[in-house]
Amino acid sequence: MSMVQRRNEALVVAEPLSVQRRLQALGLTMEIVLNALEAGIGAAALHSTVNYPRNYGGTTFWAEVTRWLREYLVPLGWHRDETGGQPSVVRGDNGMAIVVVRGNEQTGDPRFLPTTEYKRGPVTIERVSRNVRLPFDDEPVETEAVEVDTSDGVPTWLLLHHRRGEELRSELSFPIAISKSGFVEEWGETIILPTIVLDPRNMPMLDDEPVNPDVDVRRRA
Amino acid sequence: MTKVLLGQRAGFSVKTLGDYESGRATPTEDGIGSIAPVLRFPVSFFYRPELEEPPSESVSFRSLSRMTAAQRDAALAAGALAFELSQWIQKHFELTVPNVPDLSAYQPTEAALVLRNHWRIGVRPIGNIVHLMESQGVRVFSLAERSHQVDAYSLWYHGAPFVFLNTTKTVEHSRMDAAHELGHLVLHQHGAVRSRDVENDAKAFGAAFLMPAESIRSIVPRLTGPSFSNMVQLKKNWGVSVAALAMRLNKMGLLPDHSYRGICIELSKYGRTREPHAIVEREKSAVLGKVFGMLRESGTTKADVAKQLDLYTEDLDALIFGLGQMMASEGSSGQVRPSADAEQRRRQFRVYS
């Protein structure tokens, strides 16, 4: 793999209030995105005992985050899309699609440039190249006449996530370039999401002495 | 059991039974002799003064909505036997004076804290809730009628608080039942109108009593997505079921809705009657254990007590958590032990066992 590169800070939104504002401008809220990620963590945690196939936790996470983004966003006018077999959720005005993808270790770090964890397939490659051709204008359009075209011309964002130790790092990023080997490696914009601290493997126990009183019973004289 | 069935089994017409019931006619000794085994009571039982059965309005039942009137009546009848036993015990033993205050002025969760303060246990986890209640003068018996529909019930009787617990539930379930009934005893001492709200109050009380918010907050941060084993570990702190803990954490805002739902789905795989990593040892009455222990030491057998109360030892056992194990030699001496034949009949006729 190539050397870790520094990000262009001008393209990164990391300060919490700016993140809130930027997400709102895109028709999202921090709460929705974090809730969806937590739902994924919860579902994966319930399906990651050693007897499950090893990658099942990851698949569950991806499926549940996708699902919960849809659960929260569809009532707000977004819709589901599965074009090319790639599940996404698309804003009502077709101004933005979100795909859940695992990123590498740099994910969620405002200083360094992440890539996707895995090589991407033809659908992502197509979506990224379309992102480059599109005018970089992604705020919701308030018009009556919405172009109903779910596949072509929808700017695609990746919800990148990466679990590191006891933390889940994530960011919502706009991919604009893919390496020859198939990894997304350049981003037009990145919105850094707050780190989610995962539940400890061992839950805390109370120190307090449990109440176990003695019960007095005496025989009458 | 219905009158028709009793008539068939004992060889009487329904009309004759009706006459016996209303007092228009009195059964002969032979008549009682044929009715007694069908109803599974010793003949002497039918010659004793009438039992005082608690009026059903004054009783708080769990699972009331799923109960039939017959099930409720059977549970109440079992209660009547317990009062007799309790009176007998009081005659021979000194028990703790009830210290169960009227907290009807409080909200359920407040009441749980007030009671904890009143009993000077702060927010400590409760080891054995049956012993705790008994140490404060609550009379605790096991439910003689092994109906799965009746979880527990409680009532005040001659100034003493009584709680009946179903011993076929999981220990965690039973502990929550006990806390729930305790809620009725402090919140609804004046026989509140039975309604959904009353049950909800007791439910809220039970959860807050076993799992005080302060105790939970002292160790549980807001969870992001706990695994099932996380929940199993946590529940051990308070001796509650995963279901009860998950609901409490969710209500306290410490467990996100989707995680709560996920855990409920996982739990559904266990079914309603199984608890993952359940507590094995059932909580039993300390009072009854001591009473029957002391009796045995002085040579009084359980069968003797049953005889004095005109009961089968088996029915006595059902009320006292099977405590006070009989000595091997006692087995045959009690005339009140039903025969294999009676056991067979019991299986046929007892609707609730």
Side-chain angles (χ1 to χ4, degrees):
Chain A
M1 287 289 284
S2 57
M3 250 178 53
V4 175
Q5 294 183 12
R6 286 202 83 88
R7 297 195 198 241
N8 174 353
E9 278 173 33
L11 303 177
V12 178
V13 184
E15 194 273 316
L17 265 180
S18 320
V19 169
Q20 281 282 24
R21 266 200 296 269
R22 183 65 185 126
L23 288 174
Q24 258 155 30
L26 293 171
L28 292 163
T29 66
M30 184 116 89
E31 207 188 0
I32 288 176
V33 183
L34 291 181
N35 278 347
L37 289 166
E38 281 187 358
I41 294 169
L46 289 175
H47 298 98
S48 55
T49 66
V50 286
N51 285 336
Y52 279 103
R54 199 185 246 285
N55 60 358
Y56 193 64
T59 309
T60 306
F61 178 86
W62 163 77
E64 289 290 326
V65 177
T66 304
R67 171 205 162 184
W68 281 97
L69 282 176
R70 289 169 169 181
E71 299 272 1
Y72 292 124
L73 292 172
V74 168
L76 303 180
W78 294 53
H79 55 266
R80 297 173 287 274
D81 187 76
E82 302 265 343
T83 306
Q86 186 169 61
S88 65
V89 57
V90 180
R91 203 171 62 204
D93 64 355
N94 286 329
M96 175 186 207
I98 302 173
V99 177
V100 180
V101 171
R102 190 190 295 196
N104 74 353
E105 262 184 73
Q106 278 69 49
T107 299
D109 187 329
R111 297 161 302 169
F112 302 107
L113 210 53
T115 71
T116 50
E117 177 91 334
Y118 304 114
K119 218 191 267 194
R120 303 307 303 176
V123 182
T124 309
I125 293 172
E126 172 57 27
R127 282 181 182 256
V128 172
S129 56
R130 227 165 38 219
N131 276 353
V132 184
R133 290 199 298 271
L134 288 165
F136 192 50
D137 176 18
D138 47 31
E139 309 248 334
V141 188
E142 309 253 356
T143 54
E144 290 284 312
V146 175
E147 273 183 68
V148 185
D149 182 359
T150 53
S151 53
D152 288 312
V154 180
T156 300
W157 291 67
L158 302 187
L159 177 56
L160 283 186
H161 56 87
H162 185 88
R163 187 175 171 157
R164 191 162 52 185
E166 297 306 305
E167 290 179 349
L168 185 92
R169 304 273 185 107
S170 61
E171 62 183 70
L172 189 62
S173 294
F174 190 70
I176 51 170
I178 287 196
S179 69
K180 281 200 188 78
S181 46
F183 294 84
V184 180
E185 59 175 10
E186 215 177 304
W187 312 90
E189 179 181 352
T190 288
I191 303 164
I192 303 279
L193 297 163
T195 300
I196 298 174
V197 179
L198 301 176
D199 298 325
R201 198 169 297 267
N202 290 311
M203 288 279 143
M205 298 303 282
L206 286 168
D207 270 341
D208 317 6
E209 180 75 19
V211 178
N212 273 317
D214 192 39
V215 185
D216 198 26
V217 178
R218 249 169 296 171
R219 202 156 191 157
R220 288 196 196 274
Chain B
M1 183 181 294
T2 64
K3 229 180 282 174
V4 175
L5 203 59
L6 175 60
Q8 277 172 9
R9 297 302 167 189
F12 291 103
S13 70
V14 174
K15 186 186 171 299
T16 308
L17 286 176
D19 286 346
Y20 290 165
E21 194 179 29
S22 65
R24 273 193 297 273
T26 312
T28 61
E29 235 168 84
D30 279 356
I32 287 177
S34 40
I35 290 173
V38 177
L39 292 177
R40 212 176 50 90
F41 279 101
V43 169
S44 56
F45 183 85
F46 295 89
Y47 292 101
R48 51 179 296 160
E50 206 166 320
L51 279 174
E52 199 173 343
E53 200 171 301
S56 66
E57 318 83 63
S58 72
V59 183
S60 305
F61 276 100
R62 268 204 101 172
S63 302
L64 188 67
S65 54
R66 284 181 282 129
M67 274 171 90
T68 64
Q71 285 169 334
R72 189 198 60 211
D73 292 346
L76 288 175
L81 300 181
F83 302 145
E84 298 269 315
L85 173 59
S86 189
Q87 276 167 10
W88 187 92
I89 292 172
Q90 291 238 59
K91 211 158 69 187
H92 299 90
F93 294 87
E94 245 174 85
L95 302 180
T96 311
V97 177
N99 178 25
V100 180
D102 176 1
L103 302 177
S104 54
Y106 294 90
Q107 291 294 312
T109 45
E110 282 180 290
L113 271 187
V114 172
L115 185 63
R116 276 175 161 275
N117 279 335
H118 186 73
W119 286 355
R120 301 179 198 286
I121 56 172
V123 295
R124 285 162 61 201
I126 290 162
N128 186 320
I129 190 168
V130 173
H131 292 187
L132 172 62
M133 294 199 303
E134 288 187 318
S135 75
Q136 302 297 334
V138 180
R139 317 289 187 234
V140 186
F141 292 91
S142 48
L143 260 175
E145 291 300 318
R146 274 178 240 118
S147 163
H148 281 275
Q149 298 292 346
V150 186
D151 286 349
Y153 69 95
S154 60
L155 73 164
W156 286 85
Y157 183 77
H158 293 307
F162 280 77
V163 168
F164 295 85
L165 297 174
N166 190 323
T167 52
T168 62
K169 308 286 169 179
T170 64
V171 176
E172 289 84 349
H173 189 137
S174 218
R175 281 169 57 85
M176 187 54 84
D177 286 344
H180 178 112
E181 295 309 325
L182 190 54
H184 281 307
L185 291 175
V186 295
L187 293 169
H188 313 127
Q189 282 190 13
H190 307 297
V193 184
R194 201 181 314 131
S195 69
R196 187 83 195 136
D197 281 347
V198 175
E199 283 310 300
N200 277 343
D201 282 0
K203 206 170 164 183
F205 177 96
F209 189 77
L210 279 181
M211 299 173 278
E214 291 80 353
S215 170
I216 290 182
R217 286 217 180 81
S218 72
I219 57 164
V220 187
R222 183 178 174 281
L223 299 169
T224 49
S227 67
F228 207 66
S229 74
N230 280 161
M231 296 303 289
V232 168
Q233 286 168 21
L234 267 186
K235 73 164 185 164
K236 290 181 181 154
N237 283 301
W238 300 281
V240 293
S241 64
V242 170
L245 176 65
M247 186 190 278
R248 181 92 171 113
L249 291 177
N250 181 250
K251 283 198 174 145
M252 287 176 63
L254 297 175
L255 182 69
D257 286 347
H258 37 71
S259 285
Y260 176 53
R261 251 168 286 178
I263 284 158
C264 291
I265 291 168
E266 275 302 294
L267 270 177
S268 67
K269 296 172 188 168
Y270 283 81
R272 289 176 53 85
T273 53
R274 284 168 60 219
E275 174 67 25
H277 298 264
I279 300 172
V280 180
E281 201 180 335
R282 183 162 298 283
E283 296 183 2
K284 296 177 175 179
S285 159
V287 169
L288 295 169
K290 285 188 176 181
V291 163
F292 282 91
M294 286 188 240
L295 284 172
R296 192 174 51 198
E297 276 168 29
S298 63
T300 308
T301 67
K302 205 156 53 172
D304 295 333
V305 178
K307 204 185 287 184
Q308 287 190 39
L309 293 166
D310 296 320
L311 288 176
Y312 278 126
T313 26
E314 203 183 46
D315 282 336
L316 185 59
D317 266 335
L319 283 173
I320 61 171
F321 299 82
L323 283 164
Q325 286 306 310
M326 289 197 292
M327 284 174 279
S329 58
E330 280 175 50
S332 51
S333 70
Q335 50 96 348
V336 285
R337 253 180 108 67
S339 61
D341 212 28
E343 187 59 31
Q344 182 59 31
R345 279 200 301 274
R346 185 172 81 98
R347 241 175 251 134
Q348 264 176 294
F349 302 127
R350 296 285 280 194
V351 187
Y352 317 111
S353 55

